[in-house]
Amino acid sequence: MKFEGEHLLPGQVGHFFVLLAFVASLVSTIAYFKASRTEAPSDKKSWLRYARGAFFTQVISVLTIFGIIFFICSNHYFEYLYAYKHASKELESKYLLACIWEGQEGSFLLWTIWHSILGIILILKSKKWEAPVMTVISFAQVFLALMLLGLYFSGVRIGSNPFVLTRNELEGPIFSQPNYLSFIKDGVGLNVLLRNYWMVIHPPVLFLGFASTLIPLAFAYAGIQTKKFGEWIKPALPWALASACVLGVGIMMGGKWAYESLSFGGYWAWDPVENASLVPWLILIAGLHCMAIYNATGNSLKASFVFIILTNAFVLYSTFLTRTGILGDTSVHSFTEAGMAMNILIGLFALAIPLPMFILFFKNAKKMPAVYKEENISSREFWMFIGSLIIFLSALFIISVTSVPVYNKIFNTNIADPQDREFTYNKVMVLVAVIIGILTAASQYFKYRQTDRKYFLKKIAVPFGAALIITILLAVFYPIEYIKQGAGFLGAIYLAIFAAIFSAFANASYIWSVLKGNIKAGGAAIAHTGFALMIVGMLISSGNKKVISDNRKTGLFVPFAQDPDGKHTEDPLENLTLIKMVPTRMADYVVTYVGDSSAVKEKNRSFYKLVVEKKDVTGRVSENFELTPDVYKMKDNNLSSNPDIKHYFFHDVFTYISSLADRSSVVDTARFKMHEIKLGDSIFYSKGYLVLNDVLKNPDNERFHFKPTDTALVADITVYSKDSTSYKAYPLLSINNFEVNYKDDTVFAKNLYLKLAGITQDGKFKIAVKESDIPADFLTLKAYVFPYINLVWLGLIIMAAGFIVSLSMRIKLKPLYTGAVLIAVIAGLFYMFLLAN
């Protein structure tokens, strides 16, 4: 059967390049491996030539594959399943890239593209290390290419090809018809939670971080393979720094996305997928410090090997967790079951590199150089190693709790996820923050091998005193209000705040008092300062996060759905009910829900306009702004809310819609009732009465703008209710081209509709009144204040700057270039995290 309207050529070309990428990466791996094992210069050169040719062929292939997928999605070729599942005609063009890496195939393709780009840099720069290092990179490319093959062996499909046709994968009567494409009006489209600009930039940065963790591991393999067990540290250290910087920024970009797109009220919730990306970064930081120790003293070589191998192992394990669907019931991220064959392939990928590396490591461990002299307790290397160990143990704790679904799946157990997940992590990590804060503050003032006690105490005294004073002042004038977990946990929060402030002061002071302002030598101190500021921001913004949507005064409570444990998903007392056009007090603000509008292109998405005013003590409006949180109505009629945030320098006001009035099944049977009254007369209704104050002819004021030559009457009416509240209403009657036009006015709080219907012969005014049967249009709003949230983003920027300074020193970048790169990166991050909204 010949199907109408299909565009098969892009898919056929794509299939070819998928196969070519796999074959080329396999040839490249073999050729690089042979080159690394060959001693003869002529043979080595020959194998390197083959390897490079194959690798560049693979690079061209994966870039072509990506280009074809983008072409298919942007042209809405829904004959391809990938375009049908991830693209849609309503999707804004800026999200076309995001819809590519939303899918499993696209994310693996993004990963392999980054390996390709990093591989090119290594070919150009790694010199004598090229062959063994590129062996590992190319081997990883083989597995990533396998993920895209989609070939069948003995009835089992290996990988998932992005160019499969919809009619071959989905069942339905339309696919037996030659014109089936005429029945497919649109694609499924990008997940509504991912329609955020952070999803355009967060995944590429995160996957660059994942991809870059392979390079220190590749150098570690090269060190073992060439028997230069310690020499690999020096060329690998810059790559480890770059990887830690990029991966850390990528993780926090995900936090920023969660903050702006998810309605759990924050940037971090210890979600399993968040944890799966955090754990490799923590282990990489531990490995980075051990590498620095070895570079300075010759200690911690074996620890460097172990941590670098484990970093990549947990990157791959995180891939297993997030891409096999095993976390589907415990994560807010939408990952589905990939199928048994794909799960096995991902599992093999997770073992393919780390397992052989551990075998090689243990096989050669006795041959590795080691310093058998015990480190002095007053030495920098001793406390750096202790800090690395603490970070590593914290990573193991996080991943052990996160992996509960894996234990249940493998061992057929029924271990429950922690009832209070956040506190389970927080009660351990707050103590880790105390230890790490103190260590990063003190260790800078230790010297390698041994430190004079008087020198250390003299240098550390001022930062310690300053941190103690600030913490006491904070406790007195801006106390932490988080008492939910008791006094013990509150005390731990204060200790962590002190430790983080101590670390920030000590590291900033170190640059000036010890390094004498030599910024280029102070990369570590800058990074530590930024990390400490992040921790301070996290502790204060979380500890003093306040719900300001207090609903106790309105008396209007909306029942929320219940979770499987029978608890309400939202507390009605913490969700402010806003009736349309009725100003309502919310903390220091007055909020008015004034209307809503549908998204221009996106189906089932509506934006809700909230006018917010802040008044001073005299009642004068000191500030006003608009918020437009939006809501997607899902197919199951559940709501997916996207927050809107008002950003200030010292705090954020975070809002999202938690419930909407369901008016779909209510029929309005009420009718207008006509009354003939004079000025000053009253009309009674079920909840009070209204008074006709005046009838204005052609008014020209803030609300109406009529000319003297117009013909218009506006009734000035005051509505009084039994609860002692009053409202103004202004129904309108106008004549234009001999046609009478009526514009009703509505008192939404009382479901009251008013119409000025005309004038009687005896001079009375016809006022029509309707009390609607339909409930008032309302929504419920959840609102938080996040104090000092910008410290989190500012700390991240400073930490990234510290990594860049350290990296520039390691690669001996000229100061002018270092400054230019630093300014560009800081400006970019500052714009994205602090100014983009």
Side-chain angles (χ1 to χ4, degrees):
M1 180 186 298
K2 185 176 181 180
F3 294 95
E4 299 173 5
E6 289 186 331
H7 305 82
L8 299 181
L9 182 59
Q12 292 166 351
V13 175
H15 275 294
F16 169 77
F17 278 103
V18 167
L19 289 169
L20 183 59
F22 172 70
V23 173
S25 58
L26 190 60
V27 171
S28 178
T29 303
I30 295 170
Y32 269 124
F33 181 74
K34 293 290 289 183
S36 68
R37 310 288 284 192
T38 301
E39 296 295 333
S42 59
D43 290 344
K44 182 184 284 287
K45 189 175 181 180
S46 178
W47 280 114
L48 280 174
R49 188 166 58 250
Y50 284 126
R52 289 168 183 166
F55 188 82
F56 279 107
T57 300
Q58 178 264 153
V59 171
I60 293 169
S61 298
V62 296
L63 291 175
T64 304
I65 294 166
F66 187 87
I68 293 173
I69 293 176
F70 182 82
F71 175 78
I72 287 172
C73 290
S74 61
N75 284 280
H76 308 119
Y77 289 168
F78 297 132
E79 56 265 43
Y80 294 99
L81 184 64
Y82 202 82
Y84 175 72
K85 287 171 63 176
H86 302 291
S88 63
K89 294 176 181 177
E90 67 173 12
L91 201 63
E92 295 179 59
S93 57
K94 63 183 179 181
Y95 296 137
L96 274 173
L97 288 173
C99 85
I100 294 176
W101 44 68
E102 177 196 31
Q104 190 161 245
E105 300 91 336
S107 61
F108 284 127
L109 182 60
L110 182 61
W111 198 342
T112 196
I113 286 173
W114 281 128
H115 275 167
S116 300
I117 294 170
L118 295 173
I120 292 171
I121 297 172
L122 286 166
I123 289 172
L124 297 174
K125 295 292 184 180
S126 58
K127 299 178 182 177
K128 66 178 181 180
W129 297 97
E130 178 188 347
V133 167
M134 288 302 298
T135 300
V136 177
I137 305 297
S138 296
F139 185 57
Q141 295 293 75
V142 172
F143 272 89
L144 289 170
L146 266 175
M147 302 293 181
L148 303 176
L149 268 182
L151 296 179
Y152 285 88
F153 291 95
S154 301
V156 177
R157 185 166 69 180
I158 305 299
S160 180
N161 195 300
F163 301 108
V164 294
L165 296 174
T166 307
R167 58 179 163 85
N168 292 336
E169 301 298 316
L170 299 181
E171 295 182 359
I174 66 167
F175 297 114
S176 62
Q177 302 181 42
N179 62 335
Y180 78 91
L181 280 175
S182 64
F183 298 100
I184 302 178
K185 303 300 182 183
D186 203 357
V188 175
L190 184 67
N191 185 306
V192 294
L193 294 176
L194 305 182
R195 298 182 190 188
N196 181 282
Y197 63 88
W198 285 106
M199 277 296 107
V200 180
I201 55 177
H202 157 59
V205 174
L206 188 65
F207 274 95
L208 174 57
F210 284 164
S212 62
T213 63
L214 184 63
I215 298 177
L217 177 68
F219 276 103
Y221 164 77
I224 294 176
Q225 197 268 323
T226 60
K227 308 303 180 186
K228 298 174 181 177
F229 297 111
E231 292 182 32
W232 67 275
I233 294 285
K234 189 173 182 179
L237 197 50
W239 286 104
L241 283 165
S243 182
C245 178
V246 173
L247 185 55
V249 170
I251 291 168
M252 288 309 295
M253 281 182 171
K256 187 70 169 174
W257 161 72
Y259 185 59
E260 295 189 0
S261 287
L262 300 182
S263 56
F264 62 65
Y267 46 84
W268 197 266
W270 294 110
D271 181 84
V273 174
E274 293 174 331
N275 297 347
S277 60
L278 175 64
V279 166
W281 185 78
L282 290 173
I283 299 175
L284 176 59
I285 295 299
L288 187 58
H289 283 82
C290 287
M291 292 168 74
I293 292 171
Y294 177 81
N295 205 47
T297 68
N299 291 310
S300 300
L301 177 60
K302 292 178 182 178
S304 299
F305 270 106
V306 171
F307 287 147
I308 290 302
I309 297 170
L310 284 175
T311 296
N312 187 254
F314 278 103
V315 164
L316 298 176
Y317 180 61
S318 73
T319 304
F320 173 78
L321 290 178
T322 58
R323 293 298 167 186
T324 59
I326 202 165
L327 298 177
D329 296 331
T330 59
S331 174
V332 299
H333 295 70
S334 299
F335 294 105
T336 55
E337 177 67 40
M340 182 58 70
M342 193 67 174
N343 288 349
I344 292 172
L345 184 58
I346 295 172
L348 289 174
F349 181 38
L351 296 172
I353 297 175
L355 186 59
M357 273 299 299
F358 268 120
I359 292 171
L360 285 172
F361 168 73
F362 287 115
K363 187 178 178 181
N364 291 275
K366 292 182 179 179
K367 303 174 187 177
M368 295 179 182
V371 177
Y372 293 101
K373 182 183 176 182
E374 234 178 78
E375 293 104 329
N376 195 307
I377 196 171
S378 67
S379 67
R380 179 183 289 190
E381 63 267 27
F382 176 82
W383 292 109
M384 284 177 67
F385 182 77
I386 294 298
S388 298
L389 196 59
I390 296 295
I391 293 172
F392 174 63
L393 292 175
S394 69
L396 289 185
F397 163 73
I398 293 170
I399 203 66
S400 64
V401 179
T402 303
S403 298
V404 165
V406 181
Y407 311 147
N408 291 337
K409 192 85 170 181
I410 294 175
F411 302 109
N412 198 28
T413 55
N414 193 27
I415 303 172
D417 199 46
Q419 191 170 8
D420 190 342
R421 177 191 293 167
E422 287 192 29
F423 184 59
T424 299
Y425 292 106
N426 287 341
K427 64 185 178 183
V428 173
M429 296 308 293
V430 72
L431 297 177
V432 172
V434 173
I435 298 170
I436 295 301
I438 293 172
L439 287 178
T440 53
S443 62
Q444 288 287 68
Y445 293 94
F446 284 111
K447 297 179 180 180
Y448 284 111
R449 296 185 174 86
Q450 191 170 355
T451 308
D452 179 71
R453 183 180 176 184
K454 289 183 179 179
Y455 166 85
F456 172 75
L457 292 176
K458 180 182 177 182
K459 292 293 184 182
I460 209 73
V462 173
F464 182 89
L468 186 61
I469 291 169
I470 290 176
T471 305
I472 292 171
L473 291 174
L474 188 70
V476 173
F477 296 105
Y478 189 64
I480 299 300
E481 297 179 358
Y482 185 80
I483 57 173
K484 179 181 176 182
Q485 303 299 343
F489 188 66
L490 181 61
I493 291 175
Y494 274 114
L495 278 176
I497 289 174
F498 163 74
I501 294 173
F502 179 32
S503 177
F505 267 106
N507 281 279
S509 175
Y510 176 81
I511 297 172
W512 303 113
S513 66
V514 178
L515 298 179
K516 307 301 180 185
N518 183 4
I519 297 294
K520 190 172 181 180
I526 296 170
H528 290 161
T529 302
F531 182 73
L533 286 176
M534 278 180 64
I535 298 301
V536 172
M538 289 174 178
L539 291 168
I540 294 178
S541 65
S542 300
N544 277 349
K545 179 177 76 171
K546 185 182 296 184
V547 177
I548 60 172
S549 49
D550 188 341
N551 198 41
R552 284 174 291 186
K553 293 182 180 180
T554 67
L556 301 170
F557 300 110
V558 175
F560 288 94
Q562 294 182 342
D563 60 23
D565 296 328
K567 297 180 180 179
H568 288 288
T569 54
E570 292 280 3
D571 183 353
L573 295 177
E574 294 184 348
N575 288 264
L576 185 64
T577 303
L578 299 177
I579 299 173
K580 192 172 183 179
M581 300 305 295
V582 178
T584 306
R585 171 67 63 177
M586 184 178 77
D588 296 332
Y589 302 95
V590 175
V591 186
T592 307
Y593 160 37
V594 297
D596 55 80
S597 59
S598 299
V600 176
K601 292 184 178 180
E602 296 170 285
K603 296 177 293 186
N604 301 322
R605 184 182 188 183
S606 297
F607 291 86
Y608 292 82
K609 183 178 178 180
L610 309 175
V611 174
V612 186
E613 294 181 334
K614 189 174 184 179
K615 298 182 179 180
D616 58 24
V617 291
T618 65
R620 184 177 60 87
V621 176
S622 59
E623 180 186 8
N624 63 79
F625 56 89
E626 292 182 2
L627 292 171
T628 53
D630 63 270
V631 169
Y632 286 93
K633 191 170 185 181
M634 314 295 280
K635 292 181 179 179
D636 57 3
N637 288 326
N638 286 327
L639 301 180
S640 175
S641 295
N642 283 324
D644 196 10
I645 304 167
K646 174 63 176 177
H647 299 280
Y648 295 89
F649 192 78
F650 292 112
H651 69 278
D652 280 358
V653 177
F654 177 100
T655 62
Y656 68 90
I657 293 168
S658 52
S659 177
L660 292 171
D662 184 7
R663 303 160 65 89
S664 58
S665 60
V666 180
V667 178
D668 189 4
T669 59
R671 296 288 182 267
F672 277 102
K673 184 177 180 180
M674 192 67 68
H675 301 268
E676 296 180 0
I677 61 174
K678 296 179 180 179
L679 294 180
D681 285 352
S682 301
I683 300 172
F684 288 88
Y685 72 105
S686 64
K687 297 177 183 178
Y689 66 97
L690 56 92
V691 176
L692 177 62
N693 302 312
D694 198 358
V695 174
L696 309 175
K697 183 178 180 181
N698 299 330
D700 184 11
N701 51 37
E702 292 182 1
R703 182 164 182 163
F704 302 102
H705 302 283
F706 290 104
K707 301 174 184 177
T709 55
D710 291 333
T711 305
L713 296 175
V714 176
D716 178 352
I717 297 174
T718 304
V719 178
Y720 298 92
S721 68
K722 293 178 180 179
D723 58 7
S724 301
T725 56
S726 62
Y727 308 89
K728 296 293 290 185
Y730 299 95
L732 164 68
L733 179 155
S734 64
I735 300 174
N736 188 14
N737 294 328
F738 303 102
E739 183 179 344
V740 180
N741 300 304
Y742 302 98
K743 187 176 182 181
D744 302 346
D745 203 357
T746 307
V747 180
F748 287 99
K750 301 300 175 184
N751 285 358
L752 202 62
Y753 293 79
L754 304 176
K755 180 195 295 286
L756 175 57
I759 306 175
T760 64
Q761 291 183 353
D762 57 356
K764 292 183 178 180
F765 297 97
K766 295 180 180 180
I767 304 296
V769 180
K770 181 176 79 169
E771 294 186 67
S772 176
D773 294 335
I774 298 180
D777 196 0
F778 71 90
L779 56 81
T780 56
L781 185 75
K782 188 72 171 281
Y784 298 93
V785 168
F786 280 93
Y788 298 98
I789 184 72
N790 282 337
L791 276 178
V792 177
W793 317 125
L794 182 62
L796 173 68
I797 293 168
I798 294 173
M799 185 180 73
F803 279 121
I804 293 169
V805 170
S806 291
L807 176 61
S808 68
M809 186 184 72
R810 296 288 177 185
I811 62 176
K812 295 181 173 58
L813 197 64
K814 292 181 180 179
L816 181 63
Y817 297 146
T818 301
V821 171
L822 200 57
I823 290 170
V825 171
I826 291 175
L829 292 176
F830 193 85
Y831 174 77
M832 285 191 291
F833 283 96
L834 299 177
L835 301 178
N837 296 313

